[in-house]
Amino acid sequence: MKPVFNVYLKKANPPDSGAHAVLYLPATPYEVLDAQDRLRLGENSSMVWEITEYPQFEELEPFIDGNGSFYELNALAQKLSELDETQGAIFAGLVKMENAKGPIPLPRLIDLAHSTKCCHILTDALNDSQLGRIFAENHNVPGVEHLPKDIFEMLDFEQIGRSTRLAEKGVFVARSMDHPGGYVVRHQPLLEISRTLDLTPKEPDYTMLLEVFHGDRRGQLMLPAVEAELDAVPLTLEEPDWLDLSWTCLDCKVPSLTDAISEARDIRPVNDFAGMLAEMDSTALVIYKALLEAADCRDLLHAGLLAGQLPQYTFSPKISSPAEMAREELSVILCDPEAETLLPHVNLQSYGEALIEQCGGRLTGYGLIERTDGQPIQTPGQKGGMTLG
């Protein structure tokens, strides 16, 4: 699915924090929770967000600023991703009807995205002249239905269209890469969906969500699943067994492994892996995600092996940048007054990088992770391969 927005998230007002997350919206439930782990949001901290790219609905750029919650933005992206091309044109028309000269609140945009059924659209009418001709040809203009063709062609279609548009308070939407454009007019009040949405991030009932398919037949499967549930899937898709089926991972408790899960060819090991993740508590899960990133692990075999190695690593989630590493070290070896005097005169970035290299650790999007034996964490591309323990 093509993303609607590309978004950069970071902590609000962090001193030397490098904690951030990059997401393609709409984000899945576990992607949202993963972003929270990367940002290390505490009780007294908040996030700020910025849209860095508009792969779709580029016309929204003047109307969205950094105000409103990230969760509202994701809810808007989710609904926009569900619109077909015609509905996308209607949404663009509704935005235009707002006649806004600046940002439109996200709750209002959510309501507009849910209100496409409250409008009519003529995709063949892109200007007053085309609109007037369509209205006249469909006998919506009194007295023209019996006119000879040559007289009919002499009508001022542009004036007819303009009068119709002003009377109906409709708008024209230009064609774009996302939709066909057209004339949009509202025929009933807009829905107020944003008031009823529960945008609180929640952990799903599944550890993995798969879309299983064979040809045009598709179905969803939540993992971990019991054997009877696995056996029922081929029957539902009218195939003899799992060997004839493929799947795509739609969501996973460890988002970095979605591609590896999609590429796996045996459902049983995937289900076993989902069962292992389901048993992992939230603290261990963050350490595990940090280790996977540090080891650049992208396949389920190594991911399964690394899951058993967590006690051999130490993890410091509050370290999100070399500068934070340097500050932490100076606070340990110096008393507070001395540290505050020294800090303005120290290249914290360079000093922090040297400390990280010295300890053999890796600074990940979740924090600093290092081996308890002081050895470096190797990745598959390094000499000697991956060290698993």
Side-chain angles (χ1 to χ4, degrees), residues 220-232:
Q220 289 190 352
L221 174 65
M222 295 189 295
L223 298 181
V226 299
E227 194 65 24
E229 291 171 326
L230 294 181
D231 291 341

PDB file of all heavy atoms in Angstrom, residues 220-232:
ATOM      1  N   GLN A 220      -7.183 -13.300   6.244  1.00  0.00           N
ATOM      2  CA  GLN A 220      -6.249 -12.844   7.270  1.00  0.00           C
ATOM      3  C   GLN A 220      -6.102 -13.900   8.357  1.00  0.00           C
ATOM      4  O   GLN A 220      -7.046 -14.621   8.681  1.00  0.00           O
ATOM      5  CB  GLN A 220      -6.708 -11.517   7.873  1.00  0.00           C
ATOM      6  CG  GLN A 220      -6.573 -10.347   6.922  1.00  0.00           C
ATOM      7  CD  GLN A 220      -6.789  -9.010   7.587  1.00  0.00           C
ATOM      8  OE1 GLN A 220      -7.195  -8.915   8.751  1.00  0.00           O
ATOM      9  NE2 GLN A 220      -6.523  -7.929   6.854  1.00  0.00           N
ATOM     10  N   LEU A 221      -4.903 -13.964   8.917  1.00  0.00           N
ATOM     11  CA  LEU A 221      -4.600 -14.936   9.967  1.00  0.00           C
ATOM     12  C   LEU A 221      -3.822 -14.237  11.066  1.00  0.00           C
ATOM     13  O   LEU A 221      -2.812 -13.580  10.805  1.00  0.00           O
ATOM     14  CB  LEU A 221      -3.779 -16.093   9.410  1.00  0.00           C
ATOM     15  CG  LEU A 221      -3.255 -17.121  10.432  1.00  0.00           C
ATOM     16  CD1 LEU A 221      -4.418 -17.867  11.088  1.00  0.00           C
ATOM     17  CD2 LEU A 221      -2.292 -18.093   9.766  1.00  0.00           C
ATOM     18  N   MET A 222      -4.288 -14.386  12.301  1.00  0.00           N
ATOM     19  CA  MET A 222      -3.583 -13.831  13.447  1.00  0.00           C
ATOM     20  C   MET A 222      -2.723 -14.923  14.075  1.00  0.00           C
ATOM     21  O   MET A 222      -3.188 -16.041  14.296  1.00  0.00           O
ATOM     22  CB  MET A 222      -4.580 -13.281  14.481  1.00  0.00           C
ATOM     23  CG  MET A 222      -5.383 -12.097  13.984  1.00  0.00           C
ATOM     24  SD  MET A 222      -6.376 -11.289  15.285  1.00  0.00           S
ATOM     25  CE  MET A 222      -7.524 -12.607  15.681  1.00  0.00           C
ATOM     26  N   LEU A 223      -1.469 -14.577  14.343  1.00  0.00           N
ATOM     27  CA  LEU A 223      -0.542 -15.505  14.979  1.00  0.00           C
ATOM     28  C   LEU A 223      -0.131 -14.952  16.347  1.00  0.00           C
ATOM     29  O   LEU A 223      -0.074 -13.737  16.530  1.00  0.00           O
ATOM     30  CB  LEU A 223       0.703 -15.699  14.104  1.00  0.00           C
ATOM     31  CG  LEU A 223       0.490 -16.305  12.711  1.00  0.00           C
ATOM     32  CD1 LEU A 223       1.828 -16.446  11.994  1.00  0.00           C
ATOM     33  CD2 LEU A 223      -0.225 -17.652  12.792  1.00  0.00           C
ATOM     34  N   PRO A 224       0.204 -15.838  17.334  1.00  0.00           N
ATOM     35  CA  PRO A 224       0.247 -17.298  17.194  1.00  0.00           C
ATOM     36  C   PRO A 224      -1.160 -17.905  17.118  1.00  0.00           C
ATOM     37  O   PRO A 224      -2.114 -17.369  17.684  1.00  0.00           O
ATOM     38  CB  PRO A 224       0.966 -17.735  18.467  1.00  0.00           C
ATOM     39  CG  PRO A 224       0.687 -16.658  19.460  1.00  0.00           C
ATOM     40  CD  PRO A 224       0.632 -15.383  18.674  1.00  0.00           C
ATOM     41  N   ALA A 225      -1.235 -19.030  16.401  1.00  0.00           N
ATOM     42  CA  ALA A 225      -2.497 -19.734  16.216  1.00  0.00           C
ATOM     43  C   ALA A 225      -2.318 -21.189  16.630  1.00  0.00           C
ATOM     44  O   ALA A 225      -1.218 -21.741  16.554  1.00  0.00           O
ATOM     45  CB  ALA A 225      -2.937 -19.658  14.759  1.00  0.00           C
ATOM     46  N   VAL A 226      -3.408 -21.814  17.067  1.00  0.00           N
ATOM     47  CA  VAL A 226      -3.367 -23.235  17.384  1.00  0.00           C
ATOM     48  C   VAL A 226      -3.404 -24.019  16.075  1.00  0.00           C
ATOM     49  O   VAL A 226      -3.742 -23.484  15.012  1.00  0.00           O
ATOM     50  CB  VAL A 226      -4.545 -23.640  18.299  1.00  0.00           C
ATOM     51  CG1 VAL A 226      -4.477 -22.891  19.612  1.00  0.00           C
ATOM     52  CG2 VAL A 226      -5.881 -23.379  17.612  1.00  0.00           C
ATOM     53  N   GLU A 227      -3.056 -25.287  16.142  1.00  0.00           N
ATOM     54  CA  GLU A 227      -2.933 -26.112  14.945  1.00  0.00           C
ATOM     55  C   GLU A 227      -4.229 -26.171  14.144  1.00  0.00           C
ATOM     56  O   GLU A 227      -4.208 -26.143  12.910  1.00  0.00           O
ATOM     57  CB  GLU A 227      -2.495 -27.535  15.334  1.00  0.00           C
ATOM     58  CG  GLU A 227      -2.021 -28.381  14.170  1.00  0.00           C
ATOM     59  CD  GLU A 227      -0.749 -27.855  13.523  1.00  0.00           C
ATOM     60  OE1 GLU A 227       0.014 -27.142  14.198  1.00  0.00           O
ATOM     61  OE2 GLU A 227      -0.532 -28.148  12.328  1.00  0.00           O
ATOM     62  N   ALA A 228      -5.349 -26.232  14.851  1.00  0.00           N
ATOM     63  CA  ALA A 228      -6.635 -26.306  14.141  1.00  0.00           C
ATOM     64  C   ALA A 228      -6.880 -25.045  13.306  1.00  0.00           C
ATOM     65  O   ALA A 228      -7.428 -25.112  12.207  1.00  0.00           O
ATOM     66  CB  ALA A 228      -7.774 -26.509  15.141  1.00  0.00           C
ATOM     67  N   GLU A 229      -6.454 -23.907  13.835  1.00  0.00           N
ATOM     68  CA  GLU A 229      -6.626 -22.658  13.087  1.00  0.00           C
ATOM     69  C   GLU A 229      -5.729 -22.637  11.852  1.00  0.00           C
ATOM     70  O   GLU A 229      -6.140 -22.161  10.790  1.00  0.00           O
ATOM     71  CB  GLU A 229      -6.304 -21.467  13.997  1.00  0.00           C
ATOM     72  CG  GLU A 229      -7.318 -21.263  15.108  1.00  0.00           C
ATOM     73  CD  GLU A 229      -6.894 -20.224  16.120  1.00  0.00           C
ATOM     74  OE1 GLU A 229      -5.674 -20.111  16.388  1.00  0.00           O
ATOM     75  OE2 GLU A 229      -7.771 -19.512  16.650  1.00  0.00           O
ATOM     76  N   LEU A 230      -4.518 -23.169  11.981  1.00  0.00           N
ATOM     77  CA  LEU A 230      -3.627 -23.238  10.823  1.00  0.00           C
ATOM     78  C   LEU A 230      -4.189 -24.186   9.763  1.00  0.00           C
ATOM     79  O   LEU A 230      -4.147 -23.894   8.564  1.00  0.00           O
ATOM     80  CB  LEU A 230      -2.238 -23.703  11.255  1.00  0.00           C
ATOM     81  CG  LEU A 230      -1.431 -22.763  12.166  1.00  0.00           C
ATOM     82  CD1 LEU A 230      -0.071 -23.389  12.480  1.00  0.00           C
ATOM     83  CD2 LEU A 230      -1.257 -21.404  11.528  1.00  0.00           C
ATOM     84  N   ASP A 231      -4.718 -25.315  10.206  1.00  0.00           N
ATOM     85  CA  ASP A 231      -5.258 -26.299   9.257  1.00  0.00           C
ATOM     86  C   ASP A 231      -6.482 -25.772   8.516  1.00  0.00           C
ATOM     87  O   ASP A 231      -6.759 -26.203   7.387  1.00  0.00           O
ATOM     88  CB  ASP A 231      -5.633 -27.583  10.006  1.00  0.00           C
ATOM     89  CG  ASP A 231      -4.416 -28.334  10.521  1.00  0.00           C
ATOM     90  OD1 ASP A 231      -3.301 -28.085  10.004  1.00  0.00           O
ATOM     91  OD2 ASP A 231      -4.560 -29.151  11.451  1.00  0.00           O
ATOM     92  N   ALA A 232      -7.206 -24.853   9.141  1.00  0.00           N
ATOM     93  CA  ALA A 232      -8.442 -24.355   8.525  1.00  0.00           C
ATOM     94  C   ALA A 232      -8.172 -23.371   7.390  1.00  0.00           C
ATOM     95  O   ALA A 232      -9.024 -23.190   6.510  1.00  0.00           O
ATOM     96  CB  ALA A 232      -9.312 -23.682   9.584  1.00  0.00           C
TER      97      ALA A 232
END
